[in-house]
Amino acid sequence: MTTESAPIARTAPAPFWRRPFRIVRENRRAYLIINVAAYGLALVGFMIGLVFPNLNAAQAAGLEEDGTGELVRWLVNIPPLFALTILGVNVFRLSLLTIGLPSLIVPFAGLAFFGYWAVETGITLVPASPEGWVALIPHSLTFVIELQAYILLLLGAYLLGRSWLLPRTIGAKNHRQGYFRGLQRIGLLALPALAV
């Protein structure tokens, strides 16, 4: 009498473009907490700016002193260049220098730096005139979308830190292997972040 063994069901690896979404789904709780924290800190900054309008005025004066205000006014007149500059600032200054690189050196550092940026940006967004409140309506939508890109990177920074410090949480044998698996995750999450 022979017994046949049941065939082993093997699941094919997810297509490359689906892997970031799988990472988000597997870490849904962390993703939701990071969402609440990111939007919450920006709102806290906005409330601080409303309560203390001098902070907003100081931010605006600082932008004028260092020439940023003049540069922005000049760039607004050249929309393609303005869009390219915003993309560059979002990708390099915020995504790479504020979230990515610090997290590669110190676990979770990018989350702290981003938190500071979110509060500071919330303060800066407070309109100083009635026209500013009208302009805030379309800008708030772009800000919500922009934050989603950063939230994906923040999730990657969180997963990198967790994998690095607690490698067994992802089945890694040591901290080095955990670090490299965390790098893979932040790299995969950077792709949809760039698209957003």
Side-chain angles (χ1 to χ4, degrees), residues 146-158:
E146 184 180 322
L147 274 183
Q148 275 305 304
Y150 301 138
I151 287 166
L152 288 169
L153 292 172
L154 291 168
L155 177 63
Y158 166 76

Side-chain angles (χ1 to χ4, degrees), residues 3-196:
T3 59
E4 290 183 32
S5 59
I8 298 173
R10 293 185 184 206
T11 58
F16 186 75
W17 64 272
R18 286 183 139 183
R19 291 179 191 167
F21 302 106
R22 188 177 70 197
I23 291 170
V24 171
R25 195 172 45 254
E26 290 171 354
N27 298 281
R28 192 172 331 153
R29 184 171 181 223
Y31 176 72
L32 292 175
I33 291 169
I34 291 169
N35 263 281
V36 169
Y39 289 112
L41 288 171
L43 283 174
V44 164
F46 194 84
M47 293 301 175
I48 291 171
L50 284 173
V51 173
F52 302 104
N54 292 340
L55 289 175
N56 183 296
Q59 293 261 355
L63 293 174
E64 290 303 322
E65 278 181 27
D66 69 9
T68 303
E70 185 179 337
L71 177 63
V72 168
R73 284 188 292 277
W74 180 76
L75 285 171
V76 165
N77 294 321
I78 310 168
L81 187 57
F82 183 62
L84 189 62
T85 302
I86 289 176
L87 179 65
V89 168
N90 290 348
V91 169
F92 293 106
R93 182 173 172 253
L94 284 158
S95 300
L96 189 63
L97 298 178
T98 302
I99 299 170
L101 286 179
S103 298
L104 297 177
I105 300 165
V106 177
F108 311 112
L111 279 76
F113 288 134
F114 178 83
Y116 175 79
W117 175 87
V119 172
E120 187 178 50
T121 300
I123 293 169
T124 306
L125 287 176
V126 174
S129 67
E131 295 83 14
W133 283 99
V134 173
L136 185 64
I137 294 169
H139 184 64
S140 60
L141 177 62
T142 60
F143 186 68
V144 167
I145 294 167
E146 184 180 322
L147 274 183
Q148 275 305 304
Y150 301 138
I151 287 166
L152 288 169
L153 292 172
L154 291 168
L155 177 63
Y158 166 76
L159 294 174
L160 171 62
R162 189 182 73 178
S163 303
W164 189 2
L165 296 177
L166 304 168
R168 290 199 173 100
T169 59
I170 59 161
K173 297 175 187 174
N174 54 41
H175 295 285
R176 181 180 172 183
Q177 191 178 48
Y179 181 82
F180 285 112
R181 287 192 185 171
L183 276 179
Q184 289 174 333
R185 289 179 170 187
I186 197 171
L188 284 169
L189 289 169
L191 298 173
L194 182 62
V196 172

